[in-house]
Amino acid sequence: MSDGIKTICCIGAGYVGGPTMAVIADKCKYLKVIVVDLNKDKINSWNNEDLTKLPVYEPGLKDLIKRCRGKNLFFSTNIQQSIAESDMVFISVNTPTKQTGLGAGEASDLKFIESSARSIAEFAIGHTIVVEKSTIPVKTAEVIKTILISSQKGSEKIPEKSFTVLSNPEFLAEGTAIDDLINPSRVLIGGESKTSINALVNIYKNWVSEEKIIKTNIWSSELSKLTANAFLAQRVSSINSISALCEKTGADISEVSKAVGMDYRIGRHFLKAGPGFGGSCFKKDILNLVYICKLYDLNEVANYWNEVLKINHWQQNRLTNIIVKKLFGTVTNKKIGILGFAFKANTNDTRESPAINICSNLLMEGAKLTIYDPKVKFKDISNSLKNLKNAVNDSFKIEENVCMSSSFEQLANGSDAILILTEWVEFKEIEWLKISKLMRKPSWIFDCRDIIDINHFRESDLNIWKIGFGSNMDNLK
Ligand code: NAD
Ligand code: UDX
């Protein structure tokens, strides 16, 4: 049990808010946990009886929701009442890159953080611990505090209120969110108030051992989150840069990754070459880091981290160029099958997916795409590609150039090429020699996720190109 904390609320029912609160509710049955959002459709989906309709797909999430929803876990649009009855409020709203104005293209847009802070300032009653879960620039806690403090003065209507602010960044990765939340590598809590820190520690202590709970000052906590994501993204860009060199030299990136990763000082994680990192976090957080460095006149540091993003973009364009070249320099009106549109396996999230850039490039070259993804819906694909219209021409219609497929056979039928863009486990089971019989000749498989064992195709006339290796036609013989 914990320090008089009986009810907690989370503003933002997205990929972080939903799963995180579901785990807290499951591990702390004595707490009432309310997740609120402005988006009514999203809250309705979280409350849907049919658990396949939850807005977030994560392995293990359905079971948690089934166990806790309606008992001590609630999803609501009533932000006012939920904040008023809570002793602790988590802010887990989106913090996208600013599109216009000061810092556009780099700085984080804090408008959702600010509006959340204003709602807390207005509706909280008594003492409230405010916990930043969103990833935000260093010193954002100061902004939140200023908004909260200004509400403490001069209003007769509002019963006496007080606040403390903590930073508690979330390190979960999509696709493994529930496991990451149940077995976190660490829990980071930044703040000044020992009592408030202890109140949050007492919640985590219900399932996380105390040695894993790190307490820091609030700015270190905020910066640690940005730094962790920048380091992870940097590893992906590093291995992707070497994948290009492997293709030129006859080395195999999977062998290089293994050999490099077995050095305990380097470690084996995040050394998988691919079509570049996607997801809602890496790009936005590095851009934010770049922006902060520039603010402090640390231009060399800003340039250093910016290169991680440049390589990522280059990798996606590089792959498109290889595909077009292998298909005789043109893909106009050719049917290309796309396996996977999510930014990684085990999620329905397409934000910043490398598939967006690669598919856009191919559509601009005139290709017709057929896409199969076990969890992504056509509406999300179409939404991700909506900017293309301007890039191609006014009459370009996504639905005339992109369609979904419900089977591998349908996707392969008449295709000139198939691209593997997400490493869904079911793609590892595909019988390529069988499937390729349905394709137009010469047919190509482009394995951008390194999931095919190319040695099986030594004697085959099926053209397979693999990231960080090259083609079986060039490299095995
Ligand atoms: P998301 O877009 O999935 O969800 C955010 C939700 O907040 C949306 O549903 C939106 O409607 C809601 N919202 C915005 N303003 C609101 C307001 N004033 N009141 C009520 N609801 C409001 O975002 P996400 O992926 O869950 O990310 C949330 C934060 O966590 C971001 O800062 C992100 O960088 C960080 N983060 C994300 C991940 C991840 O894997 N997605 C991991 C760690 C940290
Ligand atoms: C990331 C961080 O891992 C997580 O700690 C943070 O809280 C949110 O951002 P996420 O973006 O959900 O999580 O997934 P992650 O597993 O980090 O993958 C990000 C991208 O990098 C994906 O597109 C993935 O395919 C790619 N990646 C990852 C590689 O290409 N190679 C690798 O070895 C690892």
Side-chain angles (χ1 to χ4, degrees):
M1 296 290 276
S2 57
D3 311 282
I5 306 290
K6 293 192 181 91
T7 303
I8 67 171
C9 152
C10 175
I11 306 180
Y15 282 88
V16 171
T20 308
M21 292 301 129
V23 168
I24 293 183
D26 197 44
K27 298 291 179 187
C28 310
K29 298 279 195 260
Y30 63 92
L31 278 178
K32 177 176 178 186
V33 180
I34 315 167
V35 190
V36 294
D37 206 292
L38 292 169
N39 185 328
K40 285 197 181 93
D41 290 343
K42 203 174 262 189
I43 291 298
N44 287 341
S45 303
W46 279 112
N47 283 323
N48 202 313
E49 280 301 305
D50 178 354
L51 293 172
T52 62
K53 302 250 162 64
L54 295 178
V56 169
Y57 171 73
E58 274 297 335
L61 180 63
K62 274 196 301 189
D63 293 341
L64 280 178
I65 299 293
K66 199 171 163 194
R67 271 207 300 275
C68 303
R69 196 178 59 189
K71 294 184 182 119
N72 68 331
L73 175 65
F74 303 90
F75 294 91
S76 166
T77 49
N78 192 338
I79 296 178
Q80 172 165 358
Q81 192 194 316
S82 307
I83 291 175
E85 68 174 291
S86 294
D87 309 299
M88 186 179 272
V89 179
F90 291 77
I91 302 180
S92 188
V93 297
N94 38 331
T95 47
T97 305
K98 266 185 98 172
Q99 295 304 311
T100 52
L102 190 66
E106 285 181 350
S108 284
D109 193 338
L110 296 180
K111 67 179 174 215
F112 303 115
I113 295 281
E114 180 175 339
S115 64
S116 304
R118 288 189 188 279
S119 300
I120 300 169
E122 191 177 352
F123 303 131
I125 295 175
H127 184 71
T128 308
I129 301 171
V130 178
V131 184
E132 305 171 335
K133 254 246 168 273
S134 295
T135 306
I136 41 186
V138 190
K139 305 241 156 172
T140 305
E142 206 64 63
V143 177
I144 297 177
K145 263 191 215 160
T146 310
I147 294 170
L148 296 173
I149 288 167
S150 62
S151 77
Q152 286 172 276
K153 303 171 198 151
S155 171
E156 283 170 20
K157 276 192 307 192
I158 308 167
E160 206 173 305
K161 53 177 88 185
S162 59
F163 303 97
T164 43
V165 179
L166 301 177
S167 160
N168 173 220
E170 185 47 63
F171 293 101
L172 69 80
E174 289 178 31
T176 53
I178 305 302
D179 275 353
D180 295 343
L181 286 161
I182 293 174
N183 296 304
S185 51
R186 75 293 205 196
V187 166
L188 181 54
I189 303 177
E192 285 154 14
S193 158
K194 282 214 166 71
T195 323
S196 301
I197 292 173
N198 284 339
L200 186 54
V201 168
N202 284 339
I203 290 180
Y204 282 111
K205 261 173 43 186
N206 286 288
W207 76 98
V208 180
S209 67
E210 219 166 338
E211 312 83 78
K212 282 191 177 175
I213 305 178
I214 310 172
K215 298 170 202 165
T216 66
N217 80 37
I218 206 155
W219 322 133
S220 303
S221 169
E222 291 177 345
L223 184 56
S224 301
K225 174 64 201 178
L226 291 182
T227 307
N229 273 356
F231 272 53
L232 291 169
Q234 180 203 42
R235 280 176 74 97
V236 178
S237 279
S238 298
I239 204 70
N240 282 343
S241 72
I242 301 299
S243 74
L245 189 56
C246 286
E247 290 158 29
K248 299 279 184 203
T249 55
D252 180 341
I253 196 67
S254 49
E255 294 175 353
V256 174
S257 292
K258 186 172 176 193
V260 170
M262 279 177 76
D263 184 327
Y264 73 92
R265 296 166 303 175
I266 296 172
R268 66 190 162 84
H269 296 288
F270 267 73
L271 287 182
K272 186 95 178 143
F277 55 77
S280 63
C281 296
F282 284 176
K283 183 173 169 194
K284 134 181 116 57
D285 293 346
I286 292 180
L287 284 170
N288 188 6
L289 192 62
V290 165
Y291 180 71
I292 296 170
C293 292
K294 285 186 190 164
L295 272 186
Y296 289 104
D297 268 336
L298 295 169
N299 293 316
E300 285 74 11
V301 185
N303 292 341
Y304 174 78
W305 287 108
N306 209 23
E307 288 300 321
V308 172
L309 292 177
K310 280 199 198 159
I311 287 283
N312 197 49
H313 196 64
W314 173 79
Q315 178 82 339
Q316 293 165 15
N317 291 340
R318 184 175 86 76
L319 293 184
T320 323
N321 292 343
I322 290 171
I323 294 159
V324 175
K325 277 191 194 145
K326 295 281 186 207
L327 298 182
F328 309 119
T330 175
V331 291
T332 304
N333 286 326
K334 288 185 177 164
K335 178 179 167 184
I336 299 188
I338 305 290
L339 285 177
F341 201 87
F343 80 96
K344 62 185 285 196
N346 294 323
T347 177
N348 60 342
D349 197 350
T350 61
R351 289 178 292 180
E352 299 295 338
S353 175
I356 300 174
N357 196 16
I358 293 172
C359 289
S360 297
N361 288 343
L362 292 171
L363 287 165
M364 282 194 282
E365 294 274 353
K368 305 283 181 198
L369 305 184
T370 306
I371 303 179
Y372 173 87
D373 188 292
K375 292 292 169 194
V376 177
K377 298 197 178 95
F378 182 73
K379 106 173 148 30
D380 294 321
I381 293 177
S382 162
N383 211 17
S384 308
L385 297 172
K386 66 176 186 287
N387 291 335
L388 245 189
K389 203 172 157 62
N390 305 331
V392 187
N393 60 50
D394 275 352
S395 60
F396 178 83
K397 289 199 174 66
I398 302 275
E399 55 283 8
E400 285 174 7
N401 295 279
V402 180
C403 65
M404 296 298 279
S405 169
S406 53
S407 72
F408 300 139
E409 287 75 17
Q410 191 189 352
L411 179 126
N413 201 13
S415 289
D416 291 275
I418 295 178
L419 277 52
I420 303 170
L421 294 185
T422 312
E423 72 286 19
W424 285 101
V425 73
E426 61 195 272
F427 300 163
K428 296 180 186 164
E429 313 297 322
I430 294 177
E431 292 181 52
W432 291 107
L433 291 179
K434 203 167 134 199
I435 282 285
S436 63
K437 292 206 169 65
L438 301 166
M439 298 172 73
R440 195 161 81 142
K441 300 279 173 311
S443 27
W444 277 92
I445 310 296
F446 293 94
D447 177 8
C448 305
R449 287 287 185 173
D450 190 7
I451 63 174
I452 294 180
D453 184 351
I454 209 155
N455 284 311
H456 288 160
F457 299 91
R458 271 182 187 278
E459 309 302 328
S460 143
D461 62 355
L462 172 63
N463 299 297
I464 301 194
W465 180 93
K466 194 164 78 102
I467 186 99
F469 179 86
S471 145
N472 57 338
M473 297 300 152
D474 306 331
N475 255 352
L476 285 180
K477 292 177 180 166

